[in-house]
Amino acid sequence: MKADEALRRWIDQCRPEMAWKPGTLDAMRAWQDALRMRLREAVGITRFSTVDTALHVVREHPGSGYRHFEIAFDSRESCRVNGHLLLPEGIEAPRPGILCLPGHGVGVDAIVGLAEEPYHADFALQCVRHGYPTLAIEQCSFGKRRSNDLFCSCHADSTTALMLGETATGWRVWDAMRALDLLSDHPLVDARRLATMGISGGGLTSLWTAALDERVAVAVVSGYFNTFRDSILSINHCVDNFVPGVLRLCEMPDFAGLVAPRSLFVEGGERDDLFPIEAFYRAVSIAEGIYEAFGVPERFGSEAFEGEHQFHGARAFAFLEEQFEPSGPPGAFT
């Protein structure tokens, strides 16, 4: 047997012990609590402790119709996160706040209009132009937080994390959780209506953060929602995607069960060569069943669009508006 055939057999024979299954509401909530704790341990965030996450304004950039602040904060000991806070002009009452997370590439500047990278589509700017206070942060290994100049900028960080019993996913989720602290505390943000949004590696962080942090009312996941078997275990992906033991716990569509009954929107390009569209459709079908079981099918949305591995957002922003309407689904943000 060839080595790759053996690998595929091991993957196919794996039966996740905590895969989602329908049940009573109490049973599904108990499953959520148990799996959420196992995943927190798997990514390593149970090792971290909070530090003073005060927001530091570095400088202000010019913006049209919004104020643009370059910021920094500490998420844990010896870990400074840089980013951008975008505030719509003319708002007085607290509004839903969105945490934006870029993928691989030049970093957070590419989603706030300070760098050119087409697949990011300046989606943080799109958020603030839709009237949402927006915090966009640099993820570790990207942009200004690259630890090396290699093509795979996340390799050194990811392997170091693994040697410490941690993961790059855990580092990024922890940063996102501390960023949510900052959003929650801002006077122009309604802490009951927080959203995460990301593309690719940012889509990973958006989904994992929403699964592990119940403060997230809506998660938008672009260019990531799929199955582990058909994406990162079948196609050459960066090591930052891998979490030890996760496949023995669950598959990626099961994460929808950790977000539910809160809201989730996923999108995928029909020509995405990293997260195949056929597996996206299968994952969406499972997620739809999960939201039906929770009795809130209207809180799940999806779009397959004509495109490659890129942020699209056409239906995503309409979904956000629906979920954030005061007259929206009862209890959506409790």
Side-chain angles (χ1 to χ4, degrees):
M1 181 184 299
K2 294 181 181 179
D4 60 343
E5 293 175 351
L7 289 177
R8 180 50 53 183
R9 175 171 292 184
W10 293 335
I11 292 168
D12 291 342
Q13 290 176 344
C14 181
R15 296 294 180 266
E17 62 182 275
M18 299 186 74
W20 180 85
K21 58 183 179 182
T24 65
L25 186 58
D26 286 344
M28 291 190 292
R29 284 174 174 167
W31 169 83
Q32 287 178 321
D33 292 341
L35 180 55
R36 193 172 284 124
M37 178 53 66
R38 294 286 296 275
L39 289 174
R40 284 172 176 161
E41 292 169 350
V43 297
I45 63 174
T46 54
R47 297 171 177 267
F48 303 152
S49 57
T50 57
V51 297
D52 180 8
T53 55
L55 186 146
H56 303 279
V57 175
V58 178
R59 63 177 60 87
E60 184 169 0
H61 294 271
S64 178
Y66 62 94
R67 299 192 70 186
H68 181 166
F69 302 94
E70 188 172 338
I71 58 92
F73 64 93
D74 295 324
S75 68
R76 54 192 171 95
E77 186 177 355
S78 303
C79 184
R80 174 146 290 205
V81 180
N82 61 286
H84 302 268
L85 177 64
L86 311 176
L87 300 174
E89 291 182 347
I91 63 171
E92 297 178 0
R95 293 272 297 146
I98 302 184
L99 173 62
C100 290
L101 303 147
H104 285 78
V106 301
V108 70
D109 287 357
I111 64 176
V112 298
L114 297 181
E116 184 69 24
E117 196 162 37
Y119 95 99
H120 276 115
D122 287 330
F123 69 85
L125 283 187
Q126 294 191 52
C127 289
V128 73
R129 287 169 177 161
H130 277 82
Y132 299 118
T134 302
L135 178 58
I137 65 170
E138 194 85 274
Q139 299 212 87
C140 69
S141 312
F142 302 162
K144 296 181 177 68
R145 296 181 69 193
R146 293 174 67 110
S147 59
N148 61 67
D149 292 326
L150 301 175
F151 173 74
C152 184
S153 63
C154 54
H155 183 83
D157 290 339
S158 300
T159 52
T160 298
L162 292 172
M163 291 295 283
L164 293 171
E166 300 165 8
T167 61
T169 293
W171 288 3
R172 290 171 181 166
V173 168
W174 186 262
D175 289 349
M177 292 168 70
R178 303 290 68 81
L180 290 173
D181 293 343
L182 294 173
L183 265 180
S184 297
D185 289 341
H186 198 281
L188 292 179
V189 173
D190 181 349
R192 300 168 304 165
R193 300 190 291 171
L194 300 176
T196 57
M197 177 181 288
I199 169 69
S200 192
L204 178 157
T205 308
S206 179
L207 180 62
W208 279 77
T209 302
L212 300 184
D213 191 328
E214 295 177 83
R215 293 176 298 173
V216 178
V218 186
V220 176
V221 179
S222 178
Y224 177 70
F225 194 69
N226 212 268
T227 69
F228 294 128
R229 284 173 168 82
D230 294 295
S231 57
I232 67 171
L233 290 173
S234 296
I235 298 167
N236 188 24
H237 276 264
C238 293
V239 68
D240 60 348
N241 284 278
F242 298 88
V243 173
V246 69
L247 196 63
R248 295 194 179 277
L249 293 175
C250 64
E251 249 289 1
M252 196 191 302
D254 296 324
F255 278 58
L258 294 178
V259 180
R262 294 168 290 127
S263 303
L264 174 64
F265 184 89
V266 299
E267 65 172 25
E270 294 179 349
R271 292 179 283 111
D272 191 326
D273 58 358
L274 296 176
F275 296 92
I277 194 64
E278 294 82 6
F280 171 81
Y281 288 134
R282 289 196 295 274
V284 163
S285 178
I286 294 169
E288 288 173 340
I290 290 172
Y291 274 80
E292 287 280 357
F294 274 95
V296 287
E298 71 280 1
R299 296 185 196 171
F300 178 77
S302 66
E303 181 179 13
F305 60 89
E306 173 57 35
E308 302 176 352
H309 186 65
Q310 62 195 89
F311 183 86
H312 183 60
R315 290 181 59 186
F317 283 104
F319 182 83
L320 279 171
E321 291 175 6
E322 292 168 3
Q323 302 305 306
F324 281 145
E325 276 292 323
S327 59
F333 310 115
T334 60

